[in-house]
Amino acid sequence: MSTHGPTQPEYLGAGGTPPELDETAPKPARARRTGLVAAAAVAVVAAVGAGTYGMVQLLSGGSSAATAVPADAVAYVSLNLDPTASQKIEAFKILRKFPAIKKELGSRDDIRQAVFEEIRKDDGCADLDYAKDVEPWIGDRVAVAAVPDSKHGAAPLVVLQVTDQEKAKAGARAIESCGSDTSDQEPGRTGITFVGDYMLLAETQQEADAFAKDAEAGTLADSDEFTAAMERTGDPGIVTMYVSKDAPRALATAIAQDSSVAGGDNGTRDQIDQLEKTFKDFGGAAGVVRVRDGAVEAEFAAQGLPSTMGGGTGAGPDTGTLPGTTAAAFSVAFREGWLEDYLGQLNAMSGSQDSLDDMLAEGERATGLQLPEDVETLLGDGITVSVDASADIESFMSSPDPSQLPAGIRIQGDPDKIVPIIDKLKAVAGPDAEMVKVASGDGQVAVGLSQAYVDTLLKKGNLSSVSAFDAVVPQADRATGSLYVNFDAGDGWAEQLADALSDGDAAARSNIAPLDALGVSGWSDGDVEHGLLRLTTD
């Protein structure tokens, strides 16, 4: 594990840099903080500015940003604007379907410069010039990583592809000094060095040099752990995300250091112990965002997650048996004892058992339920929340009548145990609870405001045979949880909703129209939890 300089942990380079903890080190100031953040802002120019156009152009080649990151990085996010040719073609086809995006598909440099101009708006940045300070050197790939630090958990690292090292360094220094009062600061506080075609930016030069040395000894791209984690996510894509098995330990180190500086107590030590215990089997996680088969998709995989973070041990509620006219649905499975385990873990992390007990006791007095046991019973083995495409959004927004809204909840479990709990809750709610309709069938209970829709939920529907559902929830038969939205279901419900939310803005409707379906699903494969998001277009 690397042992770099005294830096406060900052995972994935988010936000500004906190004050130094080493009293012998130079006191931090806006100049240094601005330097690293501004350098990251230049990376955003490369990533966001080139994003729309870059996804559909044959950009420059070159090695992955992972070839410039030390092998022991505990977290990593990269953007690759040179994906496979098939992904570029797919992206181009999809993006041009949306009027708002199609209009922006102009010159990549025009878009980059527009983003860069936002940086120039900062006080003292008027002298920055895109053509002189950025364009001559900026590349097309960027990554942000967290590299382990033995004292403080992790240190941030920005890795940016460049085409000219000297010009890149000069440009980074120009951005670092802009908008800062450097009259009492030494210039060049941000550490800058290079590995291959990449510029490395760190909080100090000592750290930057150490990162480069570590990368020369072994890179993330060559790490077996990194490779194995990425293989679990399938084909590569435009965005790559990775968290190593050592990340929980780095986080615990960061918490311990923060606690030490702030005068932490035994409660903090208990939180750290619980964190390490909870993630003792964690084997790393990875994610990819890609474009293929006419869809934008993001796939994730994590090994050894704690059981309290997963769903049921088997497949969840059978969303595929909902009505084929379903416009949107959400389902989740629950394993036995999940809520008690979660509350126990929450208590261990917060170190406040009394407040949790008080909250549960107050809930019991107010509802007459036994908590948390009755909540677990009420939700059964899993629930599905759904709304039908026959919903008249326009009429409902203008004159709400809940009894006419085709929406409801289907609970998978024992009706003889679930219905009495619902009755208790209705009794506490008072007369208005009579609006709630309840029906039960074989191993399931349906709840809603429309009696007709509640009765429909107890019947076996044919959503699984709808092509849009199959395209975005391909693992429906083994999913422990899922989200599904069919934008084309029914008679334009999505466009009606867009009209209602945008006060009839025609542009909003035109940009909703190309959408086909959205699906998010998760499933287990041994000790690996998988997640998939897919968005298809017409």
Side-chain angles (χ1 to χ4, degrees):
M1 177 176 288
S2 304
T3 55
H4 305 303
T7 57
Q8 187 78 348
E10 183 182 339
Y11 285 88
L12 303 187
T17 305
E20 294 284 41
L21 300 175
D22 186 350
E23 295 298 330
T24 65
K27 293 299 181 181
R30 190 169 184 268
R32 179 178 174 193
R33 182 169 61 251
T34 300
L36 186 62
V37 175
V42 177
V44 173
V45 174
V48 179
T52 304
Y53 183 83
M55 286 173 61
V56 298
Q57 296 296 315
L58 296 176
L59 301 179
S60 61
S63 57
S64 161
T67 60
V69 175
D72 60 351
V74 295
Y76 169 83
V77 176
S78 71
L79 177 64
N80 174 13
L81 296 177
D82 187 26
T84 61
S86 62
Q87 289 198 62
K88 296 168 190 170
I89 294 171
E90 292 277 7
F92 183 78
K93 290 179 179 178
I94 291 173
L95 292 173
R96 285 186 62 85
K97 294 178 181 180
F98 299 89
I101 297 178
K102 182 179 179 180
K103 185 170 60 176
E104 298 297 331
L105 289 178
S107 165
R108 178 183 65 183
D109 287 331
D110 289 344
I111 298 173
R112 277 178 157 175
Q113 188 166 3
V115 177
F116 180 77
E117 289 302 323
E118 293 300 314
I119 298 176
R120 292 184 70 244
K121 292 180 181 180
D122 194 5
D123 292 340
C125 295
D127 291 338
L128 285 179
D129 182 83
Y130 174 77
K132 180 183 70 174
D133 297 321
V134 176
E135 184 181 19
W137 58 267
I138 197 165
D140 296 305
R141 302 184 183 199
V142 59
V144 186
V147 182
D149 178 273
S150 60
K151 292 183 179 180
H152 305 293
L157 171 64
V158 175
V159 178
L160 179 62
Q161 187 183 45
V162 299
T163 58
D164 186 304
Q165 293 187 3
E166 291 302 318
K167 292 179 180 179
K169 188 171 184 179
R173 290 297 185 214
I175 295 171
E176 175 185 42
S177 60
C178 115
S180 301
D181 180 7
T182 58
S183 58
D184 61 344
Q185 299 296 320
E186 296 179 13
R189 286 299 187 97
T190 299
I192 299 176
T193 191
F194 298 87
V195 173
D197 295 331
Y198 288 90
M199 178 168 63
L200 276 60
L201 301 112
E203 289 188 329
T204 67
Q205 190 60 48
Q206 181 182 4
E207 282 187 342
D209 292 340
F211 292 153
K213 183 178 179 180
D214 288 348
E216 289 169 358
T219 70
L220 193 62
D222 297 324
S223 165
D224 291 340
E225 181 186 341
F226 175 76
T227 301
M230 296 312 305
E231 286 178 348
R232 298 187 196 111
T233 63
D235 296 336
I238 296 168
V239 177
T240 298
M241 295 161 279
Y242 167 72
V243 177
S244 84
K245 61 179 174 36
D246 296 321
R249 185 184 309 159
L251 180 57
T253 302
I255 294 175
Q257 179 62 24
D258 283 346
S259 173
S260 175
V261 172
D265 53 19
N266 290 334
T268 303
R269 181 67 258 176
D270 291 342
Q271 293 177 33
I272 296 171
D273 291 342
Q274 181 61 35
L275 176 66
E276 293 179 333
K277 179 181 178 181
T278 299
F279 288 93
K280 64 182 176 62
D281 297 323
F282 182 62
V288 170
V289 178
R290 55 182 166 243
V291 184
R292 70 174 181 184
D293 299 332
V296 178
E297 67 179 32
E299 185 167 359
F300 305 89
Q303 185 178 42
L305 283 177
S307 59
T308 51
M309 296 182 68
T313 55
D318 191 355
T319 310
T321 61
L322 288 172
T325 54
T326 298
F330 168 77
S331 72
V332 61
F334 299 111
R335 62 176 180 78
E336 185 176 353
W338 68 273
L339 184 54
E340 288 193 59
D341 287 348
Y342 175 75
L343 292 175
Q345 187 180 101
L346 185 65
N347 171 65
M349 295 293 288
S350 66
S352 180
Q353 177 67 48
D354 290 341
S355 61
L356 179 60
D357 289 343
D358 290 344
M359 180 183 70
L360 293 176
E362 179 60 30
E364 289 182 340
R365 286 191 293 270
T367 63
L369 301 180
Q370 295 295 312
L371 300 178
E373 297 85 356
D374 281 352
V375 174
E376 287 193 4
T377 301
L378 172 65
L379 298 179
D381 298 325
I383 64 170
T384 300
V385 182
S386 60
V387 58
D388 198 79
S390 61
D392 189 336
I393 303 296
E394 186 176 353
S395 297
F396 185 78
M397 296 293 286
S398 61
S399 181
D401 180 1
S403 68
Q404 299 302 309
L405 184 64
I409 302 173
R410 189 168 70 183
I411 306 170
Q412 183 174 295
D414 186 348
D416 292 337
K417 296 179 179 179
I418 295 172
V419 173
I421 296 177
I422 295 176
D423 290 340
K424 283 186 179 181
L425 292 174
K426 290 178 66 175
V428 172
D432 288 342
E434 292 306 313
M435 297 175 59
V436 178
K437 309 302 180 184
V438 181
S440 59
D442 184 15
Q444 57 187 9
V445 175
V447 183
L449 300 177
S450 165
Q451 186 66 60
Y453 188 69
V454 166
D455 293 339
T456 299
L457 286 178
L458 294 181
K459 302 174 183 177
K460 184 174 182 179
N462 63 341
L463 184 59
S464 61
S465 64
V466 175
S467 59
F469 177 80
D470 183 61
V472 297
V473 191
Q475 302 283 349
D477 59 337
R478 57 192 301 207
T480 54
S482 66
L483 168 69
Y484 165 70
V485 180
N486 186 344
F487 297 97
D488 289 342
D491 187 20
W493 74 270
E495 285 87 346
Q496 289 184 43
L497 182 60
D499 285 341
L501 296 178
S502 66
D503 293 327
D505 186 348
R509 172 181 278 264
S510 65
N511 283 292
I512 285 290
L515 296 175
D516 179 26
L518 168 70
V520 182
S521 55
W523 66 96
S524 300
D525 186 5
D527 65 343
V528 177
E529 298 290 333
H530 292 268
L532 177 67
L533 180 153
R534 280 180 60 84
L535 176 64
T536 58
T537 57
D538 296 322

